[in-house]
Amino acid sequence: MPTFAYVARTLQGQVSQGTIDAPDERTALQQLRQQGLVVTSLRAQGGVAKAAQQSQQASLAATISRVKLRDMAVFCRQLATLINAGVSLVRALAVLERQTQNPRLKFIIRQLTRDVEDGMALSRAMAKFPREFSNLFVGMVRAGEVGGVLDDTLQRMATFLEKDLELRRKVKSAMTYPTLVIFFATAIVIFLSVWIVPKFMQLFTDLGVKEDKFPLPTLIMKRFSEFLLTKWYFLLGGVVAFLFAFSVFVRTRFGKRVYDWIKLKVPILGPINHKIVLARFARTFGTLMGSGVPILQALDTTAGAIDNDILSRAILEARMRIREGERIADPLERSRLFPPMVVHMISVGEETGTLDQMLQKVADFYESEVDAALHALASTIEPVMIVVLGVIVLFILISVFLPLITIIQDLTQSEAS
């Protein structure tokens, strides 16, 4: 950390000289002003070049690195605890900046501290970093500031992030095994096709077996093997072109809507994805309502947070109907995208004034449903993948050994005659 030499005057007019350690000149000035000094001169001392280099490296790391969901949850939880303990917001942010290890989050907290010191609201300062602080995050913090319950709001946000992280972890865990099986199955098929099959084909050629005498499975494997060996770039180019075209398509409004519709309707995975979206809707909407966010703003934020255009449109349509005086449950029921249980729970919550609690119960229910469905899917998909891999390997073996059987039969007939 660089050292700055200063010349200043006290409130009594006395001259004061000395040095102070600070990350930059602005921070040094702020620290001296807090000590009641009027700075007349401030200059950096030795080690400035090294400090500038370290500052550039830290800035580069902050640009490249990303803030994980777990880091944000810990940040919310710790900030809520410090504020609840009576620590000022500026001091709490300074404490969190010193202890965080993520370069990007450290940079963000430093900027938040400076903006708050300059009199800016925390929610407005967070809005400068939309990649880390979503509209949901900023809206909840703004509601907490207005209601004077910032610590409670941050606790709710931390719980929301932890629940979301847990749900993501379950989905990734369930998909890990099938992904590994598909990867190794593909690697085995490619290895057999480009290494083993060509050797057998060369053996058949040496033995004088003509290609028109090959059985159909052997002919298929021969063509496939030749394609992989001589025209593999077509396959690679096709895969790259498909992925590029798909990514461009889903970025369009129409493509995103089609893709989200397919995710909801595809067999087996569609119902699971629907439950995931419903759990996220209930958790997000319930958290916003419990934090005091107005219902129209809460619905608007929720529509953008669930990452499914089909349900987002239904939520925005419900928002328009609510503005016209309808209840929440009625337009959601008409969309036919929300199960009767969800609609009924929301209706009961509206009638009893416990909408946020009902939504949290709905979120808990669907998260447990997702967990059970993912376990069932993993248990079902394991034997299916093994059978598929076995069938592929068996086909390759049959295609290789059928000509050998034909050759042996021909040799036996020749010796008999």
Side-chain angles (χ1 to χ4, degrees):
M1 184 175 294
T3 302
F4 296 88
Y6 67 87
V7 178
R9 292 184 178 276
T10 64
L11 296 178
Q12 291 77 24
Q14 298 176 346
V15 177
S16 175
Q17 298 182 358
T19 59
I20 185 172
D21 295 330
D24 51 43
E25 184 175 341
R26 179 179 177 179
T27 305
L29 285 171
Q30 290 176 346
Q31 293 178 0
L32 292 170
R33 289 169 183 169
Q34 290 175 357
Q35 297 176 14
L37 299 176
V38 179
V39 180
T40 58
S41 174
L42 182 69
R43 59 183 178 85
Q45 289 191 330
V48 175
K50 182 177 180 180
Q53 183 180 4
Q54 291 177 347
S55 177
Q56 292 177 354
Q57 293 175 352
S59 177
L60 179 62
T63 304
I64 297 175
S65 63
R66 297 177 58 186
V67 181
K68 297 181 179 179
L69 203 60
R70 176 180 292 277
D71 294 333
M72 292 302 297
V74 172
F75 166 73
C76 287
R77 187 75 69 188
Q78 292 178 341
L79 183 59
T81 302
L82 290 171
I83 294 175
N84 184 261
V87 180
S88 66
L89 181 57
V90 172
R91 187 173 181 182
L93 290 171
V95 171
L96 295 180
E97 178 192 347
R98 287 196 297 270
Q99 76 174 30
T100 186
Q101 301 298 319
N102 187 290
R104 175 68 179 173
L105 185 57
K106 185 184 289 290
F107 169 78
I108 290 173
I109 297 175
R110 186 181 304 122
Q111 298 300 317
L112 293 179
T113 305
R114 292 178 177 177
D115 290 339
V116 172
E117 284 181 340
D118 291 341
M120 186 181 297
L122 179 61
S123 58
R124 186 179 173 189
M126 288 179 170
K128 294 182 178 180
F129 303 95
R131 191 174 68 177
E132 286 78 20
F133 301 106
S134 61
N135 291 334
L136 166 67
F137 204 123
V138 174
M140 287 184 61
V141 171
R142 184 182 297 112
E145 290 173 327
V146 173
V149 288
L150 182 59
D151 53 339
D152 291 339
T153 302
L154 289 170
Q155 290 284 6
R156 289 176 181 270
M157 192 65 209
T159 302
F160 171 83
L161 293 175
E162 290 165 356
K163 293 286 187 180
D164 191 35
L165 181 64
E166 183 181 357
L167 183 61
R168 291 170 186 259
R169 187 185 298 115
K170 289 177 181 177
V171 175
K172 289 181 180 179
S173 177
M175 293 295 105
T176 298
Y177 180 81
T179 303
L180 290 176
V181 171
I182 292 173
F183 173 78
F184 283 110
T186 305
I188 291 172
V189 171
I190 292 176
F191 171 75
L192 293 175
S193 301
V194 303
W195 183 257
I196 303 298
V197 173
K199 293 184 180 298
F200 275 90
M201 296 302 152
Q202 184 62 42
L203 174 63
F204 299 150
T205 303
D206 296 339
L207 291 175
V209 181
K210 296 182 179 180
E211 185 175 309
D212 57 356
K213 298 294 184 180
F214 284 162
L216 181 60
T218 306
L219 193 60
I220 293 174
M221 279 307 305
K222 186 176 186 299
R223 294 284 184 265
F224 182 67
S225 177
E226 290 174 349
F227 177 78
L228 289 180
L229 287 171
T230 60
K231 298 181 180 179
W232 55 270
Y233 45 87
F234 282 108
L235 179 62
L236 181 61
V239 172
V240 172
F242 171 77
L243 294 176
F244 176 75
F246 177 76
S247 64
V248 172
F249 178 70
V250 297
R251 287 175 186 171
T252 63
R253 180 175 299 179
F254 175 75
K256 180 69 166 59
R257 183 170 176 80
V258 171
Y259 180 56
D260 288 339
W261 183 85
I262 292 174
K263 287 194 297 182
L264 293 177
K265 300 300 181 180
V266 67
I268 302 175
L269 294 179
I272 296 177
N273 187 63
H274 194 189
K275 292 175 181 178
I276 292 173
V277 176
L278 289 174
R280 187 163 294 159
F281 158 77
R283 183 72 66 190
T284 305
F285 190 29
T287 303
L288 288 167
M289 292 299 296
S291 300
V293 178
I295 185 171
L296 295 179
Q297 181 183 342
L299 285 170
D300 189 46
T301 303
T302 303
I306 61 174
D307 192 29
N308 187 284
D309 191 62
I310 304 299
L311 267 77
S312 294
R313 286 174 178 264
I315 295 170
L316 292 176
E317 178 67 22
R319 180 179 181 274
M320 292 175 58
R321 300 303 179 190
I322 293 167
R323 178 182 290 177
E324 295 173 0
E326 289 193 35
R327 298 170 54 191
I328 304 175
D330 295 336
L332 294 180
E333 184 178 13
R334 287 196 298 269
S335 70
R336 298 184 179 180
L337 293 171
F338 296 85
M341 190 273 287
V342 176
V343 175
H344 179 71
M345 294 283 281
I346 292 176
S347 179
V348 172
E350 285 184 284
E351 294 172 1
T352 60
T354 57
L355 181 58
D356 58 330
Q357 299 176 18
M358 290 297 180
L359 288 167
Q360 295 297 342
K361 291 180 180 179
V362 170
D364 292 337
F365 171 77
Y366 275 104
E367 285 172 2
S368 63
E369 285 284 298
V370 169
D371 192 20
L374 289 174
H375 279 297
L377 177 63
S379 301
T380 304
I381 207 169
E382 289 178 16
V384 172
M385 295 298 297
I386 293 173
V387 169
V388 171
L389 177 59
V391 169
I392 294 174
V393 174
L394 179 62
F395 178 81
I396 295 175
L397 292 177
I398 290 175
S399 66
V400 168
F401 283 105
L402 276 178
L404 289 177
I405 295 173
T406 304
I407 293 172
I408 294 172
Q409 289 176 346
D410 292 342
L411 290 175
T412 304
Q413 294 174 359
S414 299
E415 291 177 358
S417 61

